Amino acid sequence: MAGDAIELTVPRPDGDRVVRISSPTRVIWPEAGITKRDLAEYLVAVGDAFIAANGDRPVSLQRFPGGVDGEQFFSKNPPKGAPDWIRAVTVTYPSGRKHPQLVLDEPAGAVWAAQMNTVVFHPWASRAERSDFPDQLRIDLDPQPGTGFAEAVPIALALRELLAEVGLTGFVKSSGSRGIHVFAPIEPEHEFLDVRHAVIALGRELERRLPEQVTTNWWKEERGDRIFIDYNQANRDRTMAGAYSPRPLPHAPVSCPLEWSELERTDPAAHTIRTVPRRLAERGDPWADMHAKPGRLGTLLEWWARDLEDGLGELPFPPDFPKMPGEPTRVQPSRAKKVDDESAG
């Protein structure tokens, strides 16, 4: 109800911003009893670190009007009625279509998004004014059935060492679910396709070193119980939950930046909307200096070229992408075999 609305004061360097929150008692996470007001206050508490990680980037908002157990949808372009201090930037999608996309420049923007029942924030790997050129190499370690966070930890540690070999510095966070995200800052000098190829080259090298634990196979039936390097998350308009973004799981977890030294002993389920503000206040932001020394992709792109010469070509793109040069047929292996068997018969 409109009469239930509250106003939250959000600090900013040149004068506080007041953001109106309607229906503040609406429950967003029923099992945890966390309300819309709790969500907004969480974003105030982590605001500076949240914007440092996710601001100045095209961002998609994953919204849950009826709470995390209800329907959801994504907002990319600024909705009607957005405040005049909310910015947008024109980006190019994989289809070639151009469209304005939201950009958050201050914590109040995230709080305003919470007013619209946003739970998950999905920032691009590129900055708003150079949206075609990522400044982050992002690796999604995706546990398969039978594996989880614990199995992904040694893979993340091995990945960190491999990144260091090619002159890149890895930063780690929990996904907020079962997986682990590793980001490496890079100079924004390569298009998305090149960055995707760098991720594939990196994943293939990790797979060579840990063949029983790591896979780059796109088709689930070929992955087994290994950790999947989801290289397609490096594509244009493909995003992961941002650092400090809540996730729509019953206990209200957060995709939480971590120190490498704590990765082996942390419990990702312990990092929630209720616990992360205190953690951040006491320990600081592990990602605060992420972009102080960005690296370059030269070695990884050399590995990509080497693999091409050895006959390892392009890998499948997501089904909603246009057909890409050199891409293999997008047919599930067992389905392709069935067709071949029927043809032979």
Side-chain angles (χ1 to χ4, degrees):
M1 295 174 58
D4 295 331
I6 62 170
E7 291 185 337
L8 292 183
T9 299
V10 187
R12 56 199 296 263
D14 55 349
D16 295 348
R17 186 89 71 185
V18 175
V19 181
R20 181 179 180 274
I21 304 295
S22 62
S23 304
T25 58
R26 176 183 297 157
V27 177
I28 304 297
W29 284 268
E31 185 170 309
I34 292 176
T35 65
K36 186 175 179 180
R37 177 175 186 161
D38 295 329
L39 170 61
E41 290 179 340
Y42 163 78
L43 291 167
V44 174
V46 302
D48 289 341
F50 179 94
I51 291 298
N54 307 302
D56 191 32
R57 300 178 183 278
V59 64
S60 298
L61 308 179
Q62 189 175 358
R63 297 164 60 184
F64 293 77
V68 297
D69 293 340
E71 295 183 359
Q72 59 177 291
F73 63 96
F74 284 83
S75 290
K76 295 186 176 183
N77 54 312
K80 293 181 179 179
D84 57 10
W85 44 269
I86 292 292
R87 181 162 64 108
V89 64
T90 299
V91 299
T92 303
Y93 295 117
S95 64
R97 182 175 60 89
K98 295 181 182 292
H99 206 278
Q101 184 130 3
L102 285 163
V103 179
L104 302 178
D105 292 314
E106 58 180 280
V111 178
W112 163 79
Q115 154 61 17
M116 299 190 302
N117 306 297
T118 299
V119 169
V120 191
F121 297 79
H122 298 267
W124 279 37
S126 55
R127 299 283 178 174
E129 301 308 321
R130 298 202 71 197
S131 61
D132 292 332
F133 299 91
D135 70 342
Q136 292 174 338
L137 183 83
R138 297 176 171 182
I139 305 98
D140 181 9
L141 301 180
D142 184 9
Q144 299 306 290
T147 65
F149 186 88
E151 288 75 21
V153 167
I155 309 307
L157 294 171
L159 176 59
R160 182 194 188 193
E161 294 180 2
L162 185 54
L163 286 168
E165 285 183 31
V166 299
L168 298 176
T169 302
F171 291 78
V172 67
K173 67 182 177 74
S174 64
S175 70
S177 183
R178 298 165 52 244
I180 295 176
H181 297 160
V182 178
F183 286 20
I186 57 175
E187 295 287 354
E189 55 192 7
H190 294 282
E191 244 270 1
F192 275 92
L193 187 60
D194 288 334
V195 176
R196 166 196 161 91
H197 290 161
V199 172
I200 292 174
L202 185 71
R204 281 173 167 162
E205 183 61 27
L206 194 61
E207 188 176 21
R208 290 185 189 99
R209 300 185 186 193
L210 300 169
E212 301 301 316
Q213 298 167 272
V214 173
T215 181
T216 57
N217 287 328
W218 175 247
W219 301 106
K220 291 182 179 180
E221 63 182 329
E222 295 182 333
R223 297 177 192 168
D225 58 0
R226 293 171 289 178
I227 302 298
F228 173 50
I229 308 293
D230 190 354
Y231 59 86
N232 269 327
Q233 293 287 23
N235 290 336
R236 179 187 295 272
D237 193 34
R238 282 301 186 272
T239 56
M240 308 176 195
Y244 298 105
S245 173
R247 301 303 306 273
L249 297 176
H251 62 292
V254 167
S255 184
C256 185
L258 303 167
E259 298 285 357
W260 283 105
S261 60
E262 65 178 317
L263 184 61
E264 291 181 284
R265 52 187 169 80
T266 197
D267 176 6
H271 306 309
T272 71
I273 284 178
R274 296 197 190 279
T275 64
V276 167
R278 180 175 178 179
R279 169 190 164 88
L280 182 61
E282 293 178 348
R283 306 180 59 154
D285 180 11
W287 283 22
D289 298 324
M290 175 183 285
H291 287 278
K293 295 181 179 180
R296 286 190 155 87
L297 297 183
T299 300
L300 288 178
L301 293 177
E302 288 174 5
W303 288 4
W304 167 257
R306 174 202 65 192
D307 288 347
L308 285 180
E309 291 180 4
D310 291 343
L312 294 174
E314 187 61 89
L315 292 176
F317 284 76
D320 59 328
F321 267 55
K323 184 70 175 176
M324 302 296 287
E327 182 185 2
T329 304
R330 296 181 193 175
V331 179
Q332 190 172 340
S334 60
R335 191 174 300 172
K337 183 177 186 304
K338 181 179 179 181
V339 171
D340 290 342
D341 291 345
E342 290 175 350
S343 299

mmCIF file of all heavy atoms in Angstrom, residues 93-126:
data_model
loop_
_atom_site.group_PDB
_atom_site.id
_atom_site.type_symbol
_atom_site.label_atom_id
_atom_site.label_comp_id
_atom_site.label_asym_id
_atom_site.label_seq_id
_atom_site.Cartn_x
_atom_site.Cartn_y
_atom_site.Cartn_z
ATOM 1 N N TYR A 93 23.779 -5.858 -29.054
ATOM 2 C CA TYR A 93 23.518 -7.232 -28.646
ATOM 3 C C TYR A 93 24.043 -8.204 -29.707
ATOM 4 O O TYR A 93 24.405 -7.784 -30.823
ATOM 5 C CB TYR A 93 22.027 -7.420 -28.411
ATOM 6 C CG TYR A 93 21.498 -6.595 -27.262
ATOM 7 C CD1 TYR A 93 20.553 -5.594 -27.444
ATOM 8 C CD2 TYR A 93 21.972 -6.816 -25.969
ATOM 9 C CE1 TYR A 93 20.093 -4.824 -26.382
ATOM 10 C CE2 TYR A 93 21.515 -6.059 -24.898
ATOM 11 C CZ TYR A 93 20.576 -5.067 -25.117
ATOM 12 O OH TYR A 93 20.133 -4.308 -24.060
ATOM 13 N N PRO A 94 24.112 -9.503 -29.408
ATOM 14 C CA PRO A 94 24.665 -10.461 -30.368
ATOM 15 C C PRO A 94 23.968 -10.446 -31.726
ATOM 16 O O PRO A 94 24.597 -10.747 -32.754
ATOM 17 C CB PRO A 94 24.456 -11.811 -29.656
ATOM 18 C CG PRO A 94 24.498 -11.469 -28.209
ATOM 19 C CD PRO A 94 23.827 -10.125 -28.103
ATOM 20 N N SER A 95 22.694 -10.095 -31.764
ATOM 21 C CA SER A 95 21.957 -10.038 -33.026
ATOM 22 C C SER A 95 22.366 -8.850 -33.888
ATOM 23 O O SER A 95 21.991 -8.766 -35.060
ATOM 24 C CB SER A 95 20.455 -9.927 -32.736
ATOM 25 O OG SER A 95 20.176 -8.700 -32.060
ATOM 26 N N GLY A 96 23.129 -7.923 -33.326
ATOM 27 C CA GLY A 96 23.485 -6.693 -34.018
ATOM 28 C C GLY A 96 22.557 -5.545 -33.678
ATOM 29 O O GLY A 96 22.835 -4.395 -34.031
ATOM 30 N N ARG A 97 21.458 -5.848 -32.981
ATOM 31 C CA ARG A 97 20.522 -4.795 -32.581
ATOM 32 C C ARG A 97 21.148 -3.927 -31.500
ATOM 33 O O ARG A 97 21.860 -4.408 -30.623
ATOM 34 C CB ARG A 97 19.239 -5.449 -32.057
ATOM 35 C CG ARG A 97 18.143 -4.477 -31.633
ATOM 36 C CD ARG A 97 16.871 -5.231 -31.256
ATOM 37 N NE ARG A 97 17.103 -6.152 -30.153
ATOM 38 C CZ ARG A 97 16.989 -5.826 -28.866
ATOM 39 N NH1 ARG A 97 16.676 -4.568 -28.524
ATOM 40 N NH2 ARG A 97 17.189 -6.721 -27.926
ATOM 41 N N LYS A 98 20.863 -2.643 -31.546
ATOM 42 C CA LYS A 98 21.360 -1.702 -30.538
ATOM 43 C C LYS A 98 20.204 -1.241 -29.666
ATOM 44 O O LYS A 98 19.090 -1.056 -30.155
ATOM 45 C CB LYS A 98 22.021 -0.494 -31.209
ATOM 46 C CG LYS A 98 23.284 -0.832 -31.989
ATOM 47 C CD LYS A 98 23.896 0.408 -32.601
ATOM 48 C CE LYS A 98 25.132 0.076 -33.431
ATOM 49 N NZ LYS A 98 26.244 -0.394 -32.593
ATOM 50 N N HIS A 99 20.485 -1.059 -28.370
ATOM 51 C CA HIS A 99 19.413 -0.686 -27.459
ATOM 52 C C HIS A 99 20.012 -0.045 -26.224
ATOM 53 O O HIS A 99 21.111 -0.416 -25.802
ATOM 54 C CB HIS A 99 18.607 -1.935 -27.057
ATOM 55 C CG HIS A 99 17.196 -1.634 -26.665
ATOM 56 N ND1 HIS A 99 16.847 -1.188 -25.397
ATOM 57 C CD2 HIS A 99 16.035 -1.704 -27.360
ATOM 58 C CE1 HIS A 99 15.538 -1.012 -25.350
ATOM 59 N NE2 HIS A 99 15.030 -1.323 -26.516
ATOM 60 N N PRO A 100 19.312 0.911 -25.597
ATOM 61 C CA PRO A 100 19.819 1.482 -24.348
ATOM 62 C C PRO A 100 19.731 0.473 -23.205
ATOM 63 O O PRO A 100 18.767 -0.282 -23.104
ATOM 64 C CB PRO A 100 18.901 2.680 -24.101
ATOM 65 C CG PRO A 100 17.651 2.369 -24.838
ATOM 66 C CD PRO A 100 18.071 1.585 -26.042
ATOM 67 N N GLN A 101 20.748 0.464 -22.367
ATOM 68 C CA GLN A 101 20.781 -0.430 -21.213
ATOM 69 C C GLN A 101 21.136 0.363 -19.964
ATOM 70 O O GLN A 101 21.904 1.320 -19.999
ATOM 71 C CB GLN A 101 21.809 -1.549 -21.428
ATOM 72 C CG GLN A 101 21.844 -2.565 -20.313
ATOM 73 C CD GLN A 101 21.766 -4.002 -20.803
ATOM 74 O OE1 GLN A 101 21.734 -4.263 -21.994
ATOM 75 N NE2 GLN A 101 21.711 -4.935 -19.881
ATOM 76 N N LEU A 102 20.533 -0.046 -18.850
ATOM 77 C CA LEU A 102 20.746 0.629 -17.575
ATOM 78 C C LEU A 102 22.213 0.644 -17.164
ATOM 79 O O LEU A 102 22.971 -0.286 -17.437
ATOM 80 C CB LEU A 102 19.956 -0.082 -16.481
ATOM 81 C CG LEU A 102 18.447 0.143 -16.454
ATOM 82 C CD1 LEU A 102 17.789 -0.932 -15.610
ATOM 83 C CD2 LEU A 102 18.141 1.517 -15.882
ATOM 84 N N VAL A 103 22.600 1.723 -16.471
ATOM 85 C CA VAL A 103 23.916 1.839 -15.848
ATOM 86 C C VAL A 103 23.692 2.401 -14.442
ATOM 87 O O VAL A 103 22.921 3.347 -14.260
ATOM 88 C CB VAL A 103 24.841 2.782 -16.646
ATOM 89 C CG1 VAL A 103 26.200 2.900 -15.953
ATOM 90 C CG2 VAL A 103 25.014 2.302 -18.081
ATOM 91 N N LEU A 104 24.335 1.805 -13.451
ATOM 92 C CA LEU A 104 24.247 2.287 -12.072
ATOM 93 C C LEU A 104 25.527 3.028 -11.724
ATOM 94 O O LEU A 104 26.622 2.485 -11.879
ATOM 95 C CB LEU A 104 24.027 1.123 -11.103
ATOM 96 C CG LEU A 104 22.775 0.270 -11.364
ATOM 97 C CD1 LEU A 104 22.699 -0.871 -10.362
ATOM 98 C CD2 LEU A 104 21.512 1.127 -11.295
ATOM 99 N N ASP A 105 25.386 4.256 -11.240
ATOM 100 C CA ASP A 105 26.545 5.094 -10.944
ATOM 101 C C ASP A 105 26.732 5.376 -9.458
ATOM 102 O O ASP A 105 27.758 5.919 -9.067
ATOM 103 C CB ASP A 105 26.431 6.430 -11.682
ATOM 104 C CG ASP A 105 26.557 6.270 -13.185
ATOM 105 O OD1 ASP A 105 27.470 5.547 -13.616
ATOM 106 O OD2 ASP A 105 25.750 6.851 -13.923
ATOM 107 N N GLU A 106 25.753 5.028 -8.632
ATOM 108 C CA GLU A 106 25.833 5.338 -7.203
ATOM 109 C C GLU A 106 24.962 4.349 -6.444
ATOM 110 O O GLU A 106 24.056 3.718 -7.017
ATOM 111 C CB GLU A 106 25.374 6.767 -6.944
ATOM 112 C CG GLU A 106 23.947 7.049 -7.432
ATOM 113 C CD GLU A 106 23.522 8.480 -7.167
ATOM 114 O OE1 GLU A 106 23.147 8.755 -6.009
ATOM 115 O OE2 GLU A 106 23.561 9.305 -8.102
ATOM 116 N N PRO A 107 25.225 4.162 -5.149
ATOM 117 C CA PRO A 107 24.437 3.204 -4.374
ATOM 118 C C PRO A 107 22.940 3.452 -4.433
ATOM 119 O O PRO A 107 22.152 2.496 -4.400
ATOM 120 C CB PRO A 107 24.983 3.382 -2.957
ATOM 121 C CG PRO A 107 26.402 3.815 -3.154
ATOM 122 C CD PRO A 107 26.361 4.703 -4.369
ATOM 123 N N ALA A 108 22.532 4.706 -4.525
ATOM 124 C CA ALA A 108 21.101 4.988 -4.598
ATOM 125 C C ALA A 108 20.446 4.323 -5.803
ATOM 126 O O ALA A 108 19.260 3.988 -5.767
ATOM 127 C CB ALA A 108 20.863 6.501 -4.635
ATOM 128 N N GLY A 109 21.221 4.124 -6.879
ATOM 129 C CA GLY A 109 20.681 3.441 -8.048
ATOM 130 C C GLY A 109 20.315 1.998 -7.740
ATOM 131 O O GLY A 109 19.295 1.488 -8.196
ATOM 132 N N ALA A 110 21.160 1.344 -6.956
ATOM 133 C CA ALA A 110 20.859 -0.031 -6.562
ATOM 134 C C ALA A 110 19.642 -0.073 -5.636
ATOM 135 O O ALA A 110 18.803 -0.978 -5.734
ATOM 136 C CB ALA A 110 22.074 -0.649 -5.874
ATOM 137 N N VAL A 111 19.529 0.893 -4.752
ATOM 138 C CA VAL A 111 18.378 0.952 -3.853
ATOM 139 C C VAL A 111 17.107 1.209 -4.657
ATOM 140 O O VAL A 111 16.055 0.613 -4.391
ATOM 141 C CB VAL A 111 18.588 2.030 -2.773
ATOM 142 C CG1 VAL A 111 17.368 2.139 -1.869
ATOM 143 C CG2 VAL A 111 19.836 1.707 -1.942
ATOM 144 N N TRP A 112 17.185 2.105 -5.632
ATOM 145 C CA TRP A 112 16.043 2.343 -6.520
ATOM 146 C C TRP A 112 15.645 1.058 -7.237
ATOM 147 O O TRP A 112 14.457 0.750 -7.397
ATOM 148 C CB TRP A 112 16.391 3.434 -7.528
ATOM 149 C CG TRP A 112 15.482 3.475 -8.715
ATOM 150 C CD1 TRP A 112 14.237 4.017 -8.788
ATOM 151 C CD2 TRP A 112 15.756 2.916 -10.016
ATOM 152 N NE1 TRP A 112 13.707 3.840 -10.056
ATOM 153 C CE2 TRP A 112 14.621 3.168 -10.819
ATOM 154 C CE3 TRP A 112 16.840 2.246 -10.573
ATOM 155 C CZ2 TRP A 112 14.553 2.764 -12.149
ATOM 156 C CZ3 TRP A 112 16.779 1.835 -11.895
ATOM 157 C CH2 TRP A 112 15.643 2.097 -12.662
ATOM 158 N N ALA A 113 16.641 0.256 -7.655
ATOM 159 C CA ALA A 113 16.336 -1.019 -8.311
ATOM 160 C C ALA A 113 15.633 -1.968 -7.338
ATOM 161 O O ALA A 113 14.730 -2.720 -7.731
ATOM 162 C CB ALA A 113 17.612 -1.651 -8.854
ATOM 163 N N ALA A 114 16.027 -1.932 -6.055
ATOM 164 C CA ALA A 114 15.351 -2.758 -5.051
ATOM 165 C C ALA A 114 13.896 -2.331 -4.895
ATOM 166 O O ALA A 114 13.013 -3.166 -4.654
ATOM 167 C CB ALA A 114 16.074 -2.659 -3.710
ATOM 168 N N GLN A 115 13.628 -1.034 -5.023
ATOM 169 C CA GLN A 115 12.253 -0.550 -4.986
ATOM 170 C C GLN A 115 11.409 -1.232 -6.058
ATOM 171 O O GLN A 115 10.219 -1.469 -5.866
ATOM 172 C CB GLN A 115 12.239 0.974 -5.167
ATOM 173 C CG GLN A 115 10.971 1.587 -5.745
ATOM 174 C CD GLN A 115 9.731 1.339 -4.883
ATOM 175 O OE1 GLN A 115 9.826 0.992 -3.709
ATOM 176 N NE2 GLN A 115 8.567 1.514 -5.489
ATOM 177 N N MET A 116 12.057 -1.604 -7.172
ATOM 178 C CA MET A 116 11.356 -2.310 -8.253
ATOM 179 C C MET A 116 11.503 -3.825 -8.110
ATOM 180 O O MET A 116 11.328 -4.552 -9.087
ATOM 181 C CB MET A 116 11.901 -1.851 -9.601
ATOM 182 C CG MET A 116 11.714 -0.381 -9.876
ATOM 183 S SD MET A 116 12.106 0.017 -11.586
ATOM 184 C CE MET A 116 13.790 -0.565 -11.681
ATOM 185 N N ASN A 117 11.821 -4.274 -6.898
ATOM 186 C CA ASN A 117 11.882 -5.702 -6.586
ATOM 187 C C ASN A 117 13.009 -6.430 -7.320
ATOM 188 O O ASN A 117 12.903 -7.617 -7.639
ATOM 189 C CB ASN A 117 10.543 -6.392 -6.887
ATOM 190 C CG ASN A 117 9.382 -5.722 -6.194
ATOM 191 O OD1 ASN A 117 9.314 -5.684 -4.977
ATOM 192 N ND2 ASN A 117 8.462 -5.158 -6.980
ATOM 193 N N THR A 118 14.098 -5.712 -7.576
ATOM 194 C CA THR A 118 15.271 -6.358 -8.153
ATOM 195 C C THR A 118 15.981 -7.156 -7.075
ATOM 196 O O THR A 118 16.262 -6.648 -5.990
ATOM 197 C CB THR A 118 16.239 -5.317 -8.738
ATOM 198 O OG1 THR A 118 15.574 -4.591 -9.775
ATOM 199 C CG2 THR A 118 17.487 -5.986 -9.298
ATOM 200 N N VAL A 119 16.284 -8.405 -7.383
ATOM 201 C CA VAL A 119 17.040 -9.255 -6.464
ATOM 202 C C VAL A 119 18.462 -9.460 -6.983
ATOM 203 O O VAL A 119 19.431 -9.334 -6.247
ATOM 204 C CB VAL A 119 16.337 -10.608 -6.254
ATOM 205 C CG1 VAL A 119 17.233 -11.602 -5.526
ATOM 206 C CG2 VAL A 119 15.029 -10.400 -5.479
ATOM 207 N N VAL A 120 18.603 -9.788 -8.276
ATOM 208 C CA VAL A 120 19.921 -10.099 -8.829
ATOM 209 C C VAL A 120 20.322 -9.014 -9.834
ATOM 210 O O VAL A 120 19.525 -8.616 -10.696
ATOM 211 C CB VAL A 120 19.936 -11.473 -9.518
ATOM 212 C CG1 VAL A 120 21.383 -11.877 -9.845
ATOM 213 C CG2 VAL A 120 19.286 -12.537 -8.641
ATOM 214 N N PHE A 121 21.560 -8.574 -9.715
ATOM 215 C CA PHE A 121 22.137 -7.575 -10.605
ATOM 216 C C PHE A 121 23.154 -8.266 -11.509
ATOM 217 O O PHE A 121 24.070 -8.934 -11.029
ATOM 218 C CB PHE A 121 22.813 -6.460 -9.807
ATOM 219 C CG PHE A 121 21.866 -5.673 -8.943
ATOM 220 C CD1 PHE A 121 21.427 -6.168 -7.733
ATOM 221 C CD2 PHE A 121 21.419 -4.412 -9.354
ATOM 222 C CE1 PHE A 121 20.560 -5.439 -6.924
ATOM 223 C CE2 PHE A 121 20.549 -3.675 -8.557
ATOM 224 C CZ PHE A 121 20.118 -4.195 -7.338
ATOM 225 N N HIS A 122 22.999 -8.087 -12.823
ATOM 226 C CA HIS A 122 23.843 -8.767 -13.805
ATOM 227 C C HIS A 122 24.640 -7.734 -14.609
ATOM 228 O O HIS A 122 24.182 -7.246 -15.651
ATOM 229 C CB HIS A 122 22.980 -9.593 -14.759
ATOM 230 C CG HIS A 122 22.200 -10.697 -14.109
ATOM 231 N ND1 HIS A 122 22.676 -11.984 -14.006
ATOM 232 C CD2 HIS A 122 20.976 -10.710 -13.513
ATOM 233 C CE1 HIS A 122 21.783 -12.744 -13.389
ATOM 234 N NE2 HIS A 122 20.741 -11.999 -13.083
ATOM 235 N N PRO A 123 25.830 -7.358 -14.164
ATOM 236 C CA PRO A 123 26.627 -6.366 -14.900
ATOM 237 C C PRO A 123 27.414 -6.993 -16.046
ATOM 238 O O PRO A 123 27.853 -8.146 -15.967
ATOM 239 C CB PRO A 123 27.574 -5.830 -13.817
ATOM 240 C CG PRO A 123 27.787 -7.010 -12.930
ATOM 241 C CD PRO A 123 26.471 -7.748 -12.895
ATOM 242 N N TRP A 124 27.613 -6.227 -17.099
ATOM 243 C CA TRP A 124 28.464 -6.641 -18.210
ATOM 244 C C TRP A 124 29.926 -6.673 -17.765
ATOM 245 O O TRP A 124 30.306 -6.073 -16.749
ATOM 246 C CB TRP A 124 28.313 -5.675 -19.377
ATOM 247 C CG TRP A 124 27.097 -5.929 -20.233
ATOM 248 C CD1 TRP A 124 25.866 -6.333 -19.798
ATOM 249 C CD2 TRP A 124 26.994 -5.772 -21.643
ATOM 250 N NE1 TRP A 124 24.998 -6.431 -20.861
ATOM 251 C CE2 TRP A 124 25.664 -6.090 -22.008
ATOM 252 C CE3 TRP A 124 27.879 -5.369 -22.635
ATOM 253 C CZ2 TRP A 124 25.217 -6.032 -23.327
ATOM 254 C CZ3 TRP A 124 27.436 -5.316 -23.959
ATOM 255 C CH2 TRP A 124 26.121 -5.653 -24.295
ATOM 256 N N ALA A 125 30.748 -7.335 -18.566
ATOM 257 C CA ALA A 125 32.193 -7.385 -18.311
ATOM 258 C C ALA A 125 32.912 -6.166 -18.863
ATOM 259 O O ALA A 125 34.140 -6.078 -18.779
ATOM 260 C CB ALA A 125 32.785 -8.650 -18.928
ATOM 261 N N SER A 126 32.161 -5.225 -19.409
ATOM 262 C CA SER A 126 32.750 -4.026 -20.021
ATOM 263 C C SER A 126 32.169 -2.775 -19.375
ATOM 264 O O SER A 126 31.103 -2.801 -18.768
ATOM 265 C CB SER A 126 32.485 -4.010 -21.530
ATOM 266 O OG SER A 126 31.088 -4.119 -21.790
#
